[in-house]
Amino acid sequence: MSAKIIDGKAFAAKVRAQVAAHVARLKDQHDIMPGLAVVLVGEDPASQIYVRSKGKLTVEVGMKSVEHNLAADTSEADLLALIDALNNDPAIHGILVQLPLPGHMSSDLVINSIDPAKDVDGFHISNVGLLATGQKSLVPCTPLGCLMMLRDHLGDLSGLNAVVVGRSNIVGKPMANLLVRDSCTVTIAHSRTRDIEALCRGADILVAAVGRPEMIRGDWVKPGATVIDVGINRIDAPEKGAGKTRLVGDVHFESAARIAGAITPVPGGVGPMTIACLLANTLTACCRANGLAEPVGLSA
Ligand code: NAP
């Protein structure tokens, strides 16, 4: 293996420490405590785990954490009324509605009912438009985490060829917009892309956000490229015992790490950065709401 491993777990701990230091200063100097509200509808076990760990880390950095757990059959009107109350609560600076929502609700309607200034997931149509037009916005957490790691590893990204595999609204598209903003030459690949392997081989920066276990192999990677693996896929691991599973990314780590200059592992790469960036976004939103200087290096 020749690639440098980009340690997302350590990087995320560093980001959370920066957030915590800034939160402490806000309290000391302005008597302000950032507040994050997370709304979960239903009892999806994976979502419950995410929400619990978000709450725990929010408290750890010194912020106020509020959790709203609503029954799966909650009406859309009741959810919208809760969001309206949170929009108008001055102690809440960030609102996150855990996705996916139950089928009887419109995710677009619900997300677009969040005050854009409190939309710490960056999914509100206003924030999407602001990012696309290069204006100040709240940026989706996963691509923000990827950008922070890329800047940390490569410094100036200007002029580099970037290929983003995946065009989802939560990862692929905002990632591409962020890379364009940092003056990369960006190509977005997806399921209809022709000769995707050759395209990837031209990338100085290769971001994989596909949801297909180990799809991107080492011979797709340009020698020395920086590879960011967003994928989180659970696959069977009979070698660990009957019925056991393990997590893998969208990149075949072993073969890619022999060719790449640097690579994020799964787990321990992009994943931990996502919650760290949620906390960073909440802090940024709180500073903006109070007309205070934003923390440096914690936003796009
Ligand atoms: P998604 O909404 O399912 O989008 C997947 C994208 O990959 C689509 O644009 C799809 O193309 C493209 N794709 C699918 N098969 C392909 C193929 N064979 N060749 C090329 N492109 C292909 O997924 P997502 O929400 O962006 O998530 C992607 C991965 O990231 C998942 O593994 C997810 O679990 C993970 N994720 C991780 C984090 C984190 O915190 N680390 C956060 C979010 C997501 P089409 O548009 O043409 O269908």
Side-chain angles (χ1 to χ4, degrees):
M1 187 189 301
S2 64
K4 178 191 169 206
I5 307 299
I6 299 177
D7 184 346
K9 205 170 156 193
F11 198 112
K14 214 165 83 182
V15 170
R16 291 199 307 274
Q18 281 174 269
V19 170
H22 210 97
V23 168
R25 274 199 301 277
L26 277 181
K27 266 184 217 159
D28 283 354
Q29 296 171 8
H30 304 281
D31 198 22
I32 293 169
M33 183 191 241
L36 172 64
V38 177
V39 180
L40 174 64
V41 187
E43 280 155 18
D44 176 58
S47 296
Q48 283 175 328
I49 293 170
Y50 286 138
V51 168
R52 264 202 303 277
S53 72
K54 281 169 187 165
K56 183 172 161 275
L57 293 172
T58 305
V59 171
E60 260 178 41
V61 296
M63 294 184 186
K64 177 187 168 82
S65 166
V66 179
E67 244 180 67
H68 291 273
N69 294 297
L70 307 183
D73 60 356
T74 301
S75 71
E76 191 177 74
D78 283 349
L79 176 58
L80 293 175
L82 171 62
I83 292 173
D84 187 49
L86 294 169
N87 283 342
N88 289 298
D89 183 344
I92 296 299
H93 305 93
I95 302 169
L96 181 148
V97 177
Q98 186 69 41
L99 300 176
L101 287 168
H104 65 283
M105 292 181 175
S106 157
S107 300
D108 285 344
L109 179 71
V110 169
I111 296 304
N112 290 324
S113 73
I114 298 172
D115 178 349
K118 297 189 179 188
D119 167 41
V120 282
D121 249 345
F123 296 159
H124 189 290
I125 193 82
S126 295
N127 280 316
V128 175
L130 289 167
L131 173 60
T133 50
Q135 300 179 70
K136 201 191 240 187
S137 62
L138 285 167
V139 173
C141 304
T142 300
L144 176 58
C146 296
L147 183 74
M148 283 184 188
M149 290 194 287
L150 284 167
R151 284 177 177 167
D152 183 67
H153 176 64
L154 292 168
D156 184 8
L157 308 185
S158 175
L160 296 177
N161 284 334
V163 171
V164 179
V165 188
R167 56 173 163 180
S168 72
N169 290 334
I170 62 167
V171 188
K173 284 179 194 152
M175 185 76 249
N177 274 326
L178 286 169
L179 291 167
V180 167
R181 206 154 92 166
D182 269 25
S183 298
C184 292
T185 304
V186 183
T187 309
I188 303 180
H190 47 75
S191 66
R192 306 293 179 91
T193 299
R194 292 187 191 150
D195 203 356
I196 193 166
E197 305 178 25
L199 193 70
C200 290
R201 273 194 289 273
D204 303 306
I205 293 172
L206 180 57
V207 181
V210 194
R212 297 197 177 264
E214 301 179 322
M215 183 184 92
I216 293 172
R217 319 291 296 185
D219 60 356
W220 297 31
V221 175
K222 178 178 175 178
T226 303
V227 178
I228 303 288
D229 190 353
V230 182
I232 303 177
N233 309 288
R234 191 164 282 286
I235 60 167
D236 292 337
E239 72 280 5
K240 288 168 71 182
K244 297 282 182 194
T245 60
R246 65 189 173 95
L247 287 181
V248 297
D250 292 338
V251 177
H252 185 262
F253 183 82
E254 274 172 25
S255 60
R258 280 198 286 273
I259 311 289
I263 187 166
T264 58
V266 177
V270 175
M273 285 299 287
T274 297
I275 296 186
C277 288
L278 172 68
L279 303 175
N281 274 352
T282 305
L283 172 61
T284 299
C286 176
C287 291
R288 288 180 188 167
N290 287 283
L292 298 169
E294 288 176 32
V296 177
L298 293 179
S299 57

